[in-house]
Amino acid sequence: MKRKPIAMILFSLLLLVFAAGFLFSASSSKTPEQETIVIAMPRSALIRNMDTNYYKLWLEEQTGLSLRFLFLEDGYTPEYLSNAFANGDVRVDAFFSLNVGDDYLTALAALQDYGEKGYILPLNPYLEESTNLSQIFRRFDSYDLQKIMTASDGNLYFMPGLDASRGQRAKHVFWINKGWLSALRLSVPQTTDQLRQVLEAFSTLDPNGNGIADEIPLCGTLAADGQELYNAIINSFIYADPENSYLLLQNGHVVFAPETDAWRQAMQYLNSLYRDGLISPLLPELSSRSFSELANSPADILGGFTANRITDVLMQNSPEVISNFIHVPPLAGPEGQCNATEHIPFPNIAGVIPSTCCNPQAVFDLLDRMLSEQAFLIGRYGEETVDWETAKLTDMDFYGRNATVRIINQLANKVQNKHIGELGPFFAYPQYADGVSFAGLESDQEYINARAVGAYAPYMPDEHLGTALYRADTAAELQVLRRQIDAYTEARIVDFITGALDPFDDAQWDSVVRRYDALGLPRFLAVAQASYTEMMGD
C-alpha cells in the first residue's frame, strides 16, 4: 500500500520531465525546408487559441512560415533557463518576452552572458538598413535606442517591445474619490494643505453615507510598484524619480533628493498624515494585489490612491468604481513646488534567437516583421474593419488632435483571439498609440488616463536624466551602487512614514543622511554626472 503513492509521484515526475523536454527539444529534428518555427513564450489567459489566433495567422501569411508556440509556465525562472542552455536542452527557434532579470540592466547583462557563452545569437549580422528595426532606430527621438539596446561587448542580442507613447509618460498620478468630494461639497485639492483638509473631511464626515466610520481617506502600497502613494506627495516638495534612484538635475548638476531639506519636509508631511490616521494603518501590510481588492470594493471605502494609470488599480470590468475617481493635478507644496514624474520607457526583452535556431535569418525576418506599423495595429487593436478602422477626418483623439484609429470592438484586457497581447516584439507607433478616437464618453478609461497625462505633462522637468543611468558602459559599477542605495532609500521612506524613524528628530535625520556616504553615494553621483555629461555630448 505504501508503494502506490511513491509510484504515482515518480510517474508525475516523469511526466514533468517529459513536458520540459518537449518544450526545449520540440524543434530538434526540424529542418529549414519545413519552414516551421517553434517559439517559446509566457502563457496568457487572455489568448483563446494560438492555433487559430488572427495575428498568428497573419504573421504566417506574411512570412510563409508555419509558427508553433510552446508555453513557459509561471514558475519558469532565469536560473531554470540558464541551466537549460548550459545542458544543451534548448531547441526552440525563438523566445518571446524573455524573463532574464529583475531590471533592464540586469537583463541586458544576462543576455550578454548568454551570447558570450554561445547560447543566443547576436543580431548585428541581420540588421540591414531596410529592416523595420533600423528604421525605428533612426526615427526614435526619445533617446539613442540602438545604444541603449547594445550590450557592452558591442552586440545587439534582442528585439524590443517598446511603448514610448504619450500615454505612458506620466507616473505617480494621484486619484481621488470625486463622489466623496461631491457629497461633502469639496473641491479637488490644489495644495498639500488643502489635501490634508479634504482627507480630514473624508475621515470624519461619512462621505459614503452608510453611517459607519469605514472610510479610508488615503491608501496604497509601500512597495515601489507604481502604486506607492508617497512619490506623488514627495513631488510637492522636490522632484521624485525612483526609476533614477531619486536623482534630479539642477542646472545640469546631478542632485540626490533624499539628502535635501525638501525631502525631509516631505517625510514630515507623510508622517503627520499617517500619525493622524489619514493614511490607512493597513499600508505596511498591503501588497499590490490586496490593495487592488480593497480599492475595487463595491462598498466605496477608499478616498484616494496613486497609480500610473487608473486601470493599474481599478478593474476595467468595474466601470462604476472607476467613474467614482478623478485625477488630482500635481499638488503645490508649502514652498510652491509642483512636480510630475516623467517616465522614460525602456524596451522589453521581447525577442531572442537561441543559437540552436535552424534558420536564424527567417526568424529574424519574422521578428522584424512584428515591428512594422501594420503588425502593431493588428497586434494591439485586432482585425481591421472588424475591431478597428481608420479614423474619419472629423474624429478627434483623447488629446484633442485628429485621430488616426477608431475602435469598433475593444479588445484590451479581454479574452480574445485577435492578437497575442504584445508578447513578442512590437513598437507602439505614437501616431496610432496616441491617436485613438474619443467616442465622447467621460467614463472611457483611456479618456480618464489621457486627461491625467494632459494635466501632469506641464509639470514634468525641463531637465531630465533620461537614460544616463542605463548605459551599458557604466552599468556594472552603477548597478552595484544603485541597488544598495535604492534599497536603503525605500526602507527609510517606510520608516519615516510609519514612525519607526522620526523625521522631526535632527539626530535621527542626520544619522540617516550620513549613512549614504558609507553606501557609496559620492561615487554614485560622480559616475551618474559623468554618464549624463557624456549622454548630452552624444
Side-chain angles (χ1 to χ4, degrees):
M1 295 295 292
K2 293 182 179 180
R3 293 181 180 178
K4 186 174 181 180
I6 295 175
M8 292 182 67
I9 291 171
L10 289 174
F11 179 68
S12 298
L13 288 173
L14 285 172
L15 285 178
L16 288 172
V17 171
F18 175 77
F22 177 72
L23 172 60
F24 288 107
S25 62
S27 64
S28 58
S29 60
K30 179 176 74 69
T31 63
E33 290 75 22
Q34 290 177 290
E35 295 186 317
T36 297
I37 302 301
V38 181
I39 300 167
M41 62 180 279
R43 185 180 296 278
S44 171
L46 298 180
I47 303 173
R48 184 172 290 118
N49 186 330
M50 282 299 296
D51 291 335
T52 58
N53 184 274
Y54 180 82
Y55 182 58
K56 177 254 191 184
L57 295 176
W58 177 80
L59 287 173
E60 289 181 329
E61 179 184 353
Q62 294 292 307
T63 62
L65 300 170
S66 175
L67 306 182
R68 185 148 63 96
F69 290 86
L70 300 172
F71 298 104
L72 299 168
E73 301 298 338
D74 290 340
Y76 127 81
T77 64
E79 292 75 18
Y80 173 72
L81 183 64
S82 297
N83 290 333
F85 274 128
N87 294 331
D89 295 332
V90 175
R91 293 292 185 273
V92 298
D93 296 297
F95 286 95
F96 282 0
S97 298
L98 195 59
N99 171 28
V100 291
D102 295 332
D103 55 59
Y104 178 72
L105 287 176
T106 301
L108 190 62
L111 290 184
Q112 180 173 331
D113 181 59
Y114 291 158
E116 291 173 349
K117 290 177 178 176
Y119 300 158
I120 63 175
L121 297 178
L123 305 183
N124 311 53
Y126 310 100
L127 189 64
E128 299 178 358
E129 286 296 310
S130 59
T131 60
N132 288 306
L133 183 56
S134 291
Q135 294 179 41
I136 290 170
F137 284 158
R138 290 194 295 269
R139 293 170 56 180
F140 191 70
D141 59 4
S142 295
Y143 52 83
D144 189 336
L145 179 59
Q146 183 169 4
K147 188 167 187 176
I148 288 299
M149 288 178 55
T150 301
S152 60
D153 64 359
N155 284 320
L156 182 72
Y157 287 110
F158 72 99
M159 298 291 264
L162 179 59
D163 186 348
S165 59
R166 183 179 181 183
Q168 301 297 317
R169 294 288 177 165
K171 296 280 283 186
H172 315 308
V173 176
F174 198 116
W175 303 93
I176 201 163
N177 193 319
K178 66 179 181 180
W180 289 11
L181 291 175
S182 177
L184 301 179
R185 297 183 179 180
L186 298 172
S187 300
V188 174
Q190 298 179 1
T191 68
T192 51
D193 285 343
Q194 291 176 7
L195 175 63
R196 170 178 282 280
Q197 294 166 9
V198 167
L199 295 178
E200 288 173 345
F202 284 178
S203 177
T204 60
L205 299 180
D206 191 27
N208 63 13
N210 64 0
I212 304 172
D214 57 351
E215 289 86 356
I216 299 174
L218 183 60
C219 197
T221 72
L222 286 176
D225 58 4
Q227 297 174 20
E228 69 277 12
L229 64 85
Y230 46 83
N231 283 311
I233 293 176
I234 294 172
N235 267 323
S236 300
F237 298 82
I238 191 169
Y239 183 64
D241 183 4
E243 292 181 346
N244 279 307
S245 300
Y246 293 108
L247 298 180
L248 65 146
L249 290 168
Q250 292 180 351
N251 299 319
H253 295 287
V254 177
V255 174
F256 185 54
E259 62 178 1
T260 64
D261 290 339
W263 183 276
R264 184 182 183 183
Q265 292 170 8
M267 296 300 104
Q268 291 171 344
Y269 179 79
L270 286 162
N271 172 272
S272 69
L273 294 182
Y274 186 83
R275 181 191 61 214
D276 295 343
L278 303 180
I279 295 176
S280 171
L282 296 173
L283 184 70
E285 306 168 11
L286 291 176
S287 65
S288 295
R289 181 173 181 176
S290 59
F291 169 62
S292 182
E293 291 173 353
L294 181 152
N296 284 278
S297 169
D300 188 23
I301 58 175
L302 181 61
F305 64 93
T306 300
N308 303 333
R309 297 166 65 83
I310 197 168
T311 43
D312 290 347
V313 171
L314 302 182
M315 303 299 183
Q316 298 203 33
N317 58 1
S318 302
E320 68 285 351
V321 177
I322 291 178
S323 65
N324 279 342
F325 287 88
I326 189 172
H327 70 271
V328 177
L331 296 164
E335 304 299 325
Q337 279 275 350
C338 202
N339 300 295
T341 308
E342 182 176 6
H343 171 56
I344 305 296
F346 282 83
N348 297 322
I349 312 299
V352 173
I353 303 178
S355 55
T356 51
C357 175
C358 294
N359 193 345
Q361 183 65 63
V363 173
F364 179 88
D365 292 343
L366 166 70
L367 304 186
D368 190 68
R369 175 77 64 169
M370 296 174 72
L371 297 176
S372 67
E373 290 188 14
Q374 189 177 6
F376 169 70
L377 288 166
I378 297 172
R380 175 164 293 190
Y381 305 120
E383 184 178 357
E384 188 174 7
T385 72
V386 175
D387 303 305
W388 65 275
E389 63 184 4
T390 301
K392 299 176 182 178
L393 292 176
T394 55
D395 288 340
M396 305 299 289
D397 67 20
F398 294 112
Y399 303 99
R401 306 166 304 185
N402 290 108
T404 55
V405 174
R406 190 177 78 85
I407 302 299
I408 301 172
N409 176 33
Q410 181 61 259
L411 300 175
N413 295 316
K414 293 181 179 179
V415 177
Q416 46 75 45
N417 211 34
K418 294 298 182 70
H419 57 66
I420 63 173
E422 296 176 348
L423 289 171
F426 77 93
F427 179 74
Y429 291 85
Q431 66 267 35
Y432 304 121
D434 288 331
V436 176
S437 64
F438 174 44
L441 298 175
E442 292 199 2
S443 60
D444 188 298
Q445 297 144 13
E446 290 304 315
Y447 174 68
I448 294 171
N449 288 320
R451 285 187 64 192
V453 172
Y456 275 60
Y459 300 96
M460 292 177 183
D462 294 328
E463 292 183 294
H464 195 283
L465 276 168
T467 62
L469 302 188
Y470 295 86
R471 298 160 68 90
D473 51 352
T474 58
E477 183 176 8
L478 276 177
Q479 276 296 84
V480 175
L481 295 171
R482 284 189 71 181
R483 285 183 177 179
Q484 55 195 25
I485 290 171
D486 286 354
Y488 181 74
T489 299
E490 298 296 342
R492 298 298 77 77
I493 290 173
V494 174
D495 288 343
F496 281 134
I497 292 175
T498 60
L501 286 172
D502 184 357
F504 295 91
D505 185 286
D506 291 342
Q508 291 188 43
W509 173 259
D510 291 343
S511 176
V512 167
V513 171
R514 283 197 304 270
R515 176 63 181 160
Y516 279 111
D517 284 350
L519 294 174
L521 179 62
R523 177 59 183 165
F524 181 58
L525 290 174
V527 176
Q529 182 71 61
S531 184
Y532 173 73
T533 301
E534 181 184 350
M535 182 185 74
M536 296 305 292
D538 291 343

